[in-house]
Amino acid sequence: MITLALSKGRIFDETLPLLAAAGIEVLEDPEKSRKLILPTNQPGVRVVLVRATDVPTYVEYGGADLGVTGKDTLIEHGGQGLYQPLDLQIAKCRMSVAVRNDFDYASAVRQGSRLKVATKYTAIAREFFASKGVHVDLIKLYGSMELAPLTGLADAIVDLVSTGNTLKANQLVEVERIMDISSRLVVNQAALKLKQAAIRPILDAFSNAIESNAVSS
Ligand code: PRT
Ligand code: MG
């Protein structure tokens, strides 16, 4: 049995076409079912639904053989011990710094002021501001980062941006792009060896599907 860990929402939705390319069809809709283990049309393949940030943990410890997870999650929670063979080019976004549109970020940075930065991504934020030589006080949040500059909790946030609509709706502006983000396939090291015959064709099908998407877009 091959177990694939996915999180509900964009990662699940955007992985479906890749699975289809490998001949795998998930037989239940996670938005309708309450099941956490979803069967597929292939008796030897199942999908488990976990929180996005738990995907690396499931795969590392063998609760799943394969998983799909954002580069943000891999950097923040560690991808050590995971084989990362493919950038799937899905769930694309960017990690950025944003501030209130009336906040003079350039001057604050130039004057060497201490910035208060709220984020769920403290490792990425710490590393980014350290590399710029900007002093920061990091405030760890678990969601709704956009609220922090509006309430005076922080001067800036570090968060994922895709369309930019959420920032705009909250009078925030993107002032720096830290890195581009997409989702990766991660594979349990032992499974890769022991279940090669089952895993290899999935990797190949995914990789061909990514290539033809790249050609057509
Ligand atoms: O939401 P939940 O707390 O359950 O978990 P999660 O946020 O960890 O998972 P999920 O499913 O929301 O995101 C899973 C992965 O999708 C992330 O780890 C990213 O790699 C990727 N991804 C791609 C995104 C976005 N795009 C994205 N736009 N993750 C989150 N967002 C959020 C962002 O944080 C911000 O609040 O969407 C909002 C901004 O979107 P725009 O379009 O308004 O700019
Ligand atoms: Mg989310």
Side-chain angles (χ1 to χ4, degrees):
M1 175 67 76
I2 295 293
T3 302
L4 168 67
L6 297 176
S7 52
K8 271 205 237 181
R10 70 190 104 219
I11 290 196
F12 182 88
D13 298 343
E14 296 187 32
T15 302
L16 285 185
L18 295 172
L19 287 172
I24 300 165
E25 195 193 321
V26 183
L27 297 177
E28 257 170 284
D29 177 354
E31 300 303 333
K32 293 190 184 129
S33 160
R34 291 182 164 269
K35 283 191 192 165
L36 297 175
I37 301 182
L38 307 179
T40 74
N41 64 332
Q42 302 211 6
V45 181
R46 63 180 185 175
V47 168
V48 292
L49 297 175
V50 304
R51 278 297 291 263
T53 45
D54 290 336
V55 168
T57 309
Y58 267 82
V59 177
E60 181 176 357
Y61 296 106
D65 303 301
L66 309 168
V68 176
T69 182
K71 182 180 168 187
D72 49 304
T73 304
L74 284 170
I75 296 177
E76 209 52 47
H77 300 271
Q80 308 94 323
L82 294 174
Y83 178 55
Q84 298 179 31
L86 292 174
D87 179 346
L88 300 176
Q89 300 289 341
I90 60 168
K92 285 189 186 178
C93 56
R94 53 197 187 267
M95 185 71 71
S96 294
V97 181
V99 299
R100 262 167 66 155
N101 53 24
D102 58 3
F103 182 79
D104 190 349
Y105 177 76
S107 307
V109 166
R110 196 171 343 105
Q111 289 160 4
S113 357
R114 250 192 121 77
L115 273 188
K116 272 195 284 177
V117 178
T119 186
K120 182 163 135 183
Y121 305 97
T122 49
I124 292 171
R126 183 174 298 109
E127 157 74 25
F128 175 72
F129 288 108
S131 75
K132 286 172 63 80
V134 173
H135 297 288
V136 290
D137 291 316
L138 291 174
I139 301 165
K140 169 83 181 181
L141 291 178
Y142 294 88
S144 301
M145 261 86 83
E146 295 85 1
L147 195 57
L150 305 179
T151 53
L153 181 69
D155 303 311
I157 59 171
V158 167
D159 195 8
L160 298 172
V161 181
S162 46
T163 61
N165 291 340
T166 306
L167 292 181
K168 207 177 289 165
N170 292 290
Q171 290 84 49
L172 300 174
V173 283
E174 192 175 359
V175 286
E176 296 211 63
R177 180 187 283 230
I178 300 177
M179 64 178 82
D180 288 326
I181 300 284
S182 56
S183 285
R184 313 291 153 124
L185 184 71
V186 293
V187 185
N188 176 274
Q189 305 262 17
L192 185 68
K193 296 196 189 90
L194 300 172
K195 301 184 180 178
Q196 254 225 58
I199 290 177
R200 206 15 87 188
I202 300 177
L203 296 192
D204 292 343
F206 276 23
S207 140
N208 289 333
I210 299 160
E211 239 167 80
S212 50
N213 286 344
V215 172
S216 65
S217 65

